[in-house]
Amino acid sequence: MRHLSHLAGSFATERELLTFFPHLHSMEISRFLLGLCAFFHFYQSVWAGSTCKLKAKFNLNGYKDIEKKKVVVGGMFPVHQRITSNNGNTSSVPISSGCEGFDFRTFRWTQTMLFAIEEVNGRTDLLPQTDLGYVIYDSCYTISKSVEGTLTYLTGQDEAVPNYRCGSGAPLAALVGAGGSDLSIATARILGLYHFPQVSYSSSCSALESKFQFPTFLRTIPSDIHQSSAMAQLVLHFGWTWVGTIAANDDYGKYGIKEFKEQVEEAGVCISFSETLPKVSSPEDIQRIVDTVVESTAKIIVVFSSDVDLSPLILELLRHNVTNRTWISSEAWVTSALINQPRVSSVLAGTLGFGVKRADIPGLQRHLLDLDPYDDPLTEEFWETVFNCTLDYGKALRRTRERAKSANGTLSREGRGGPDGLCTGKESLEQLNNTYSDVSQLRITYNVYKAVYAVAHALHNLEHCEPGQGPFNKNSCAEITNFEPWQLMYYLKNVRFNVPHTGEEIFFNDGDVEGYYDIINWQLKGDGEVAYVTVGHYNGTAPPKARMTILNGSIMWNNEETEPPRSVCSENCQPGTRKGIRQGEPVCCFDCIPCADGEISNKTNARECIQCSEDYWSNDVRDNCIPKTIEFLAFGEPLGITLIVISACGGLVTIAVGVVFAVHLGTPLVKANDALLSFSLLFALVVTFLSSIVFLGEPQPWSCMTSQVALALGFGLCLSSIMGKTAVLMLRARALKAIRSKAKAAAKAAKAAAEAAASSGNPDIIVTNTNNNTDVNAGGNPEVDVLTFAHQRAIAAAATLIQAVACTVWLIVLPPHPVKNTAAQNIKIILECDIGSVVFICCIFAYDILLALLAFVFAFIARKLEDHFSEAKCVTFGMLVFFIVWISFVPAYLSTRGKFMVAVQIFAILASSFGLLACIFLPKCYILLVKPERNTEDMLRPRSKPRDGTSTGTSASLATAATEVNATIPSTAIDD
């Protein structure tokens, strides 16, 4: 064949033939070419007939009326729910599968298209000169049947020939269909190849928005982009954060639930489970989904599925009595009678769903009821299904005989008569109460009606195009009897009309219509049946906050409750707590963790707690920051009053002691203890007693400086006075010890000399009595007499001056000042005095400690100065008390917080002051007031001498020893 074609192409011109065959004439050449063409035509016909053959013949049911029609409109509806299964035998010629599972709802859609076409043909204002024909096929809810119908429709004959339009009938206008989104996607891909318009009434999948893939697809149902957004907004409206999802295993379910999940998850909602319904019913898969629903704690379940795919699951849920769930329905099953079966209310009562616009179509119900069962096979099957009989006499007779044989084994006389189950064809559809004749919820039906009118109006605009003003090349118009599909597509994209009877304006925005839905609630009626009650609306074209309108009080929830159910994985975290995410679980599953001390959360489901500012603290429930309690040791509280009383008593007792000393100023005891140092010591004790009062009350700059400095100077003066006293006592004790040592040495030498003389028998030496009973006193020794009261006072003044200078520098450089201590206690602000400089205060009080240690050492050394009153021993005990108090103060002070630290400090001041006052002055006051007979110079003289023949000086006798000199002189007589 290729060779012949090449040869024919070679002899393209007569001149070339003359070149090859110069002996031929012109007439002969013409005859030769004519014969050659005839041969080629015959050869091609034979070759084509032998190689081109029909591969399959489709088995399609439907309606057709194309005779004497100007334009034919196609339609495709899933009248049956599935195709019949084949035996899978590949040893015989395959045949196209039949369909089963008659669906009354989709059959009503089919009849609605027929009704709309009849209505258009009867109008005088719409296509007045054009009658519309139709070719409608049953897609059986399967892609394969949809493709078969599409190819057959495009071919124009029962035998489909791809890429060919066979026949010379009326032009094809558009295809209305093909039912579900999966079916429309398949048909739209084929129709898009030929730029053939398709108007869908129920294919809402968002994937069909792509004009790149589906350039000629339009629809009268809103895109699922709007429905997914509406479902997401409904879930958020009721505060549900824990939902389950179920989707059909097709593009409608997958795309719809995907868009829904993206929106709710972005808003913080969690998906408890996500299941997929099988396209071919599988008991194992259905049971798995039921188990998932039962085990999940989610009370809200969103379902994106058709009624056909969902029906097996609902029946299984009903069998397991799965209740207490609220279902969110997509438009595909929200008003489906296939789902709303008897007794299903226990499972689905309270369902909320979205339905497309509904409308009343006058005359449709009468059309639905006026069917002739003998018109076509599809109507015949409907009639037999709805009345459960058969119009075929032979089939009825065979059924009767089979029943009779199975019952009695033989054919009865009645069986040999008229057959049972034979339809008369006169049964009344008006007595039926099923989804076919129910026109109360015309939603998808209304979309079919609008789709037919959209095609009709596009054809009307095409037919009434003004010549020279057309939209095509050179302003041309298309002919209604001979137009191309792409020309009608132009008019469909730009069509704009008002739907009859409803007045709704229809236009396509990039192939889609506006996203408007009714929110439908399944409510139980008194007779136990479910009523579809509209409780709100959703308008996808409105501003975001105004898109949804819903009447919460009109909703009847599952188990006839009026309050919305709660569906959360974890209850809301109340103010005062924060969300703690559980590892490996969705973010909606969390633990509520109380805020830590000092932190709050003042809103529900707070992710983090807020730290209170420095002067504030969290309340008991940790939802608000409240001012911290201001704490200081106040004058008016019981502890403060107690300390004031004790301090005042200490000061008064000290003053009283001073008065006693002033009254007895001329007595030997007072004179012997240096009255000036005694009064300075008493003054210092009064200062320390009264300085403790300054520690009370709210700290002020003056009180902080006064309290610390007064305490430091008071103890400095006190300890300096004591050190001055004890230093002189210590020096005198050491001096007396040296004198005693000399006296002992002299006495021993004299005794040794006498003994030596006696042993030698020398009569010239006479040993006189050595008197060891005389007192050795300081008055006759310049080493002792040099230590006077002036030395004591100088030592005390110098030591006090050093402390005063240090305190002055402290006040000038870094003085103490009041501060707010917020770190010591969380719930309190402790008002206290900051010492200003740790170095200064350590130096100052270290100096006091040094004075105390020196005073204690000096007193301890001088403790053996004996008389009837030993002041060194009193000072020693006083300093021991002082050390014990302040050593105990350190751990007590460090273990307390707040105002009790001040109380401990005051107690230490008072205890040490009372200790010094009692130990140093109580014995003296006892002698002055109770035993005045001891307050004499005789009583202050040395007591009886010790056994070793020595006599120890006393603290009091040392002061009067200058007037009582009685030296011990060994006398010797030397005889000449």
Side-chain angles (χ1 to χ4, degrees), residues 384-496:
E384 292 178 346
T385 303
V386 75
F387 291 111
N388 194 23
C389 61
T390 179
L391 293 168
D392 187 343
Y393 182 85
K395 185 187 297 185
L397 184 59
R398 286 192 299 273
R399 288 180 180 175
T400 301
R401 290 177 178 176
E402 289 173 359
R403 284 197 300 269
K405 287 181 179 180
S406 61
N408 303 322
T410 58
L411 185 62
S412 64
R413 180 177 298 178
E414 290 78 10
R416 291 191 294 269
D420 296 333
L422 182 64
C423 297
T424 64
K426 296 181 180 180
E427 289 81 4
S428 176
L429 292 174
E430 295 181 3
Q431 298 176 358
L432 295 177
N433 184 21
N434 63 9
T435 185
Y436 170 74
S437 57
D438 182 10
V439 293
S440 62
Q441 294 291 329
L442 300 181
R443 298 181 185 276
I444 302 299
T445 303
Y446 181 46
N447 286 346
V448 174
Y449 189 74
K450 291 187 288 187
V452 174
Y453 266 91
V455 176
H457 277 277
L459 288 170
H460 181 85
N461 294 339
L462 182 147
E463 183 179 25
H464 290 81
C465 173
E466 294 291 334
Q469 299 180 8
F472 307 118
N473 186 28
K474 297 181 180 180
N475 297 327
S476 62
C477 295
E479 294 292 333
I480 189 66
T481 57
N482 187 22
F483 60 87
E484 294 297 330
W486 58 268
Q487 293 176 316
L488 179 62
M489 185 65 199
Y490 168 83
Y491 289 101
L492 265 174
K493 288 172 60 178
N494 297 282
V495 73
R496 199 178 193 101

Side-chain angles (χ1 to χ4, degrees), residues 1 51 72 121 143 497 549 636 654 694 739 903:
M1 181 66 189
T51 59
V72 175
N121 288 338
I143 295 177
F497 66 97
T549 303
T654 305
V694 186
I739 294 172

Side-chain angles (χ1 to χ4, degrees), residues 494-513:
N494 297 282
V495 73
R496 199 178 193 101
F497 66 97
N498 293 322
V499 182
H501 314 301
T502 65
E504 180 188 356
E505 186 179 25
I506 297 296
F507 60 93
F508 295 108
N509 183 10
D510 224 7
D512 285 319
V513 294

Side-chain angles (χ1 to χ4, degrees), residues 955-967:
S955 59
S957 63
L958 288 173
T960 59
T963 59
E964 299 178 359
V965 179
N966 189 6

Side-chain angles (χ1 to χ4, degrees), residues 53-84:
K53 60 182 178 180
L54 192 64
K55 284 293 185 183
K57 187 173 183 180
F58 299 146
N59 180 18
L60 295 171
N61 291 324
Y63 297 94
K64 181 185 292 187
D65 183 11
I66 60 175
E67 296 296 330
K68 299 180 180 180
K69 304 297 181 181
K70 273 191 177 182
V71 181
V72 175
V73 180
M76 199 171 295
F77 298 89
V79 179
H80 290 85
Q81 298 176 1
R82 56 192 172 273
I83 60 175
T84 57

Side-chain angles (χ1 to χ4, degrees), residues 357-369:
K357 285 184 179 180
R358 68 167 296 276
D360 294 324
I361 304 176
L364 176 61
Q365 187 172 33
R366 176 47 49 194
H367 172 83
L368 296 176
L369 299 178

Side-chain angles (χ1 to χ4, degrees), residues 451-717:
V452 174
Y453 266 91
V455 176
H457 277 277
L459 288 170
H460 181 85
N461 294 339
L462 182 147
E463 183 179 25
H464 290 81
C465 173
E466 294 291 334
Q469 299 180 8
F472 307 118
N473 186 28
K474 297 181 180 180
N475 297 327
S476 62
C477 295
E479 294 292 333
I480 189 66
T481 57
N482 187 22
F483 60 87
E484 294 297 330
W486 58 268
Q487 293 176 316
L488 179 62
M489 185 65 199
Y490 168 83
Y491 289 101
L492 265 174
K493 288 172 60 178
N494 297 282
V495 73
R496 199 178 193 101
F497 66 97
N498 293 322
V499 182
H501 314 301
T502 65
E504 180 188 356
E505 186 179 25
I506 297 296
F507 60 93
F508 295 108
N509 183 10
D510 224 7
D512 285 319
V513 294
E514 64 179 8
Y516 184 91
Y517 298 91
D518 292 332
I519 302 176
I520 300 171
N521 180 217
W522 286 33
Q523 298 184 6
L524 282 177
K525 297 189 293 187
D527 57 1
E529 293 187 0
V530 172
Y532 305 122
V533 179
T534 301
V535 295
H537 305 282
Y538 180 86
N539 186 0
T541 59
K545 292 185 178 179
R547 288 178 181 176
M548 179 175 287
T549 303
I550 188 166
L551 305 175
N552 294 347
S554 301
I555 300 175
M556 185 65 68
W557 301 99
N558 200 1
N559 299 328
E560 300 185 6
E561 295 179 358
T562 56
E563 291 296 323
R566 289 187 56 78
S567 184
V568 294
C569 181
S570 300
E571 291 296 332
N572 289 333
C573 288
Q574 299 302 317
T577 61
R578 66 174 179 85
K579 294 166 65 173
I581 303 301
R582 299 174 185 169
Q583 286 295 110
E585 297 188 31
V587 294
C588 297
C589 301
F590 50 82
D591 297 316
C592 294
I593 303 174
C595 291
D597 291 338
E599 296 181 348
I600 66 162
S601 63
N602 52 13
K603 62 181 181 180
T604 303
N605 289 334
R607 294 186 179 275
E608 293 181 351
C609 295
I610 305 170
Q611 181 71 43
C612 292
S613 59
E614 187 178 18
D615 293 344
Y616 288 82
W617 194 250
S618 55
N619 58 3
D620 291 339
V621 294
R622 294 179 175 84
D623 63 352
N624 190 24
C625 288
I626 57 176
K628 289 183 178 180
T629 304
I630 305 296
E631 183 178 88
F632 57 89
L633 189 55
F635 293 103
E637 60 180 290
L639 182 58
I641 294 174
T642 303
L643 294 175
I644 292 173
V645 171
I646 295 174
S647 301
C649 290
L652 292 175
V653 170
T654 305
I655 293 171
V657 171
V659 171
V660 171
F661 266 60
V663 172
H664 298 83
L665 188 62
T667 62
L669 181 62
V670 176
K671 288 167 60 178
N673 285 279
D674 191 351
L676 184 60
L677 275 185
S678 296
F679 284 122
S680 67
L681 178 57
L682 290 172
F683 174 75
L685 290 175
V686 171
V687 170
T688 57
F689 276 121
L690 297 182
S691 69
S692 62
I693 299 177
V694 186
F695 282 89
L696 300 174
E698 181 177 352
Q700 301 293 335
W702 68 267
S703 64
C704 289
M705 291 187 290
T706 302
S707 60
Q708 298 293 340
V709 173
L711 178 63
L713 289 176
F715 275 122
L717 178 59

Side-chain angles (χ1 to χ4, degrees), residues 745-755 767 770 970:
K748 287 180 179 180
K751 185 175 181 181
E755 290 177 351
V767 180
T770 302

